[in-house]
Amino acid sequence: GENVEQHPSTLSVQEGDSAVIKCTYSDSASNYFPWYKQELGKRPQLIIDIRSNVGEKKDQRIAVTLNKTAKHFSLHITETQPEDSAVYFCAASKGAGSYQLTFGKGTKLSVIP
Amino acid sequence: GAGVSQSPSNKVTEKGKDVELRCDPISGHTALYWYRQSLGQGLEFLIYFQGNSAPDKSGLPSDRFSAERTGGSVSTLTIQRTQQEDSAVYLCASSLDAGGAKTQYFGPGTRLLVL
C-alpha cells in the first residue's frame, strides 16, 4: 500500500519568514495530494490540494509543488504569521476509483512573533 | 451549510465496555470515511462507505471494530470490549462521492479515553 513520509516533524520560524514542509510517497499511481491544517483541538481543514496533471499550485501565501518523477511534494508558506501556527498534514490518494487518503505523520509549525 | 458533525465530543469508558460513535455527514455527500488519530500521530484510515456499502474494511484494527451506515447518511462506529490502546480521537469525514478525488471534509472528532 501507499506510504507517506513527512519532514520535518517540528518547524519553528520567525514571523515573516517562509516555511517549507516536504512529503514523499511510495505509490506511483497516486495522483491527488491534499494538505490539511489542524489547530489544537480542532478538526483538520483542507488548505490546498494538487492533482498530478499540474506541477505547482498557489493560493495567496500558500503554494504546493509536485514532482511526480521523484514522488515528492512540498508545501510552501510565505510571510508566515502567528495564526499559521498549527499541525500540517500531507496526504496522498489514487483519486478516481480509490478513496483512501494516506496521511503523513504531521509537522508542528510554530511561528514566533 | 452545516458541516460534518460527530457525537459525543468526548467519551470516557472503562476497559471492556462497548462504545458507539456517531457521524452526521454533510447533506448530499454519499461517501463517508472514518479515521483514527492517536496522540501526536497522523490520521489512520479505518473504513469508508459509498452509500450504505462499505467496500473496504481492511483498515479496521481488529474484529472488535465495526461500522454501519443507514439511509446513506448517519454512520455509527462501534468498538466492542474496549481496550486502553483504543484511546484516540476518532474522526469522520465526508465527500460528494468516492471517485475522482473529491475533497474530504472532517468533523470535529470524538475523543475516546479508555480507562
Side-chain angles (χ1 to χ4, degrees):
Chain A
E2 175 66 277
N3 182 51
V4 177
E5 299 283 342
Q6 183 171 349
H7 300 281
S9 56
T10 60
L11 179 61
S12 291
V13 298
Q14 292 289 331
E15 182 178 358
D17 287 350
S18 296
V20 180
I21 303 170
K22 299 181 179 181
C23 290
T24 60
Y25 60 99
S26 60
D27 192 337
S28 56
S30 289
N31 59 11
Y32 174 62
F33 308 93
W35 286 88
Y36 285 83
K37 175 183 181 182
Q38 187 176 32
E39 297 178 24
L40 189 62
K42 297 192 175 180
R43 73 189 73 193
Q45 294 199 309
L46 180 74
I47 54 170
I48 196 168
D49 58 12
I50 191 167
R51 288 171 170 77
S52 61
N53 56 343
V54 297
E56 183 174 2
K57 184 176 179 180
K58 192 172 182 180
D59 182 3
Q60 299 183 348
R61 296 186 298 108
I62 294 172
V64 57
T65 58
L66 170 66
N67 183 327
K68 285 218 74 179
T69 302
K71 292 191 283 188
H72 67 71
F73 56 111
S74 301
L75 177 71
H76 304 253
I77 307 174
T78 59
E79 300 171 23
T80 53
Q81 302 168 1
E83 52 265 37
D84 294 330
S85 296
V87 178
Y88 291 80
F89 293 97
C90 63
S93 99
K94 298 177 191 177
S98 184
Y99 45 85
Q100 178 181 345
L101 284 177
T102 301
F103 283 85
K105 292 193 183 303
T107 296
K108 183 177 181 181
L109 174 64
S110 299
V111 180
I112 304 164
Chain B
V4 178
S5 61
Q6 293 185 245
S7 61
S9 54
N10 291 281
K11 177 71 177 178
V12 180
T13 190
E14 294 179 347
K15 177 182 173 181
K17 295 285 180 67
D18 297 351
V19 295
E20 284 190 354
L21 312 179
R22 176 187 168 111
C23 173
D24 278 277
I26 293 171
S27 177
H29 281 193
T30 63
L32 184 149
Y33 313 79
W34 283 98
Y35 294 87
R36 179 170 69 174
Q37 186 174 29
S38 301
L39 187 64
Q41 297 296 309
L43 284 74
E44 174 191 7
F45 171 80
L46 298 178
I47 188 172
Y48 101 103
F49 290 89
Q50 178 60 48
N52 293 333
S53 300
D56 186 353
K57 303 178 183 178
S58 62
L60 296 176
S62 77
D63 59 8
R64 297 186 294 105
F65 287 71
S66 62
E68 65 176 13
R69 189 180 186 194
T70 55
S73 181
V74 172
S75 176
T76 302
L77 177 69
T78 301
I79 309 174
Q80 296 178 307
R81 305 181 303 281
T82 51
Q83 303 294 312
Q84 289 182 334
E85 60 262 29
D86 299 334
S87 297
V89 177
Y90 289 83
L91 289 158
C92 173
S94 71
S95 66
L96 276 173
D97 58 61
K102 301 295 192 300
T103 299
Q104 295 187 20
Y105 298 89
F106 282 85
T110 293
R111 189 175 301 273
L112 175 66
L113 178 61
V114 181
L115 301 177

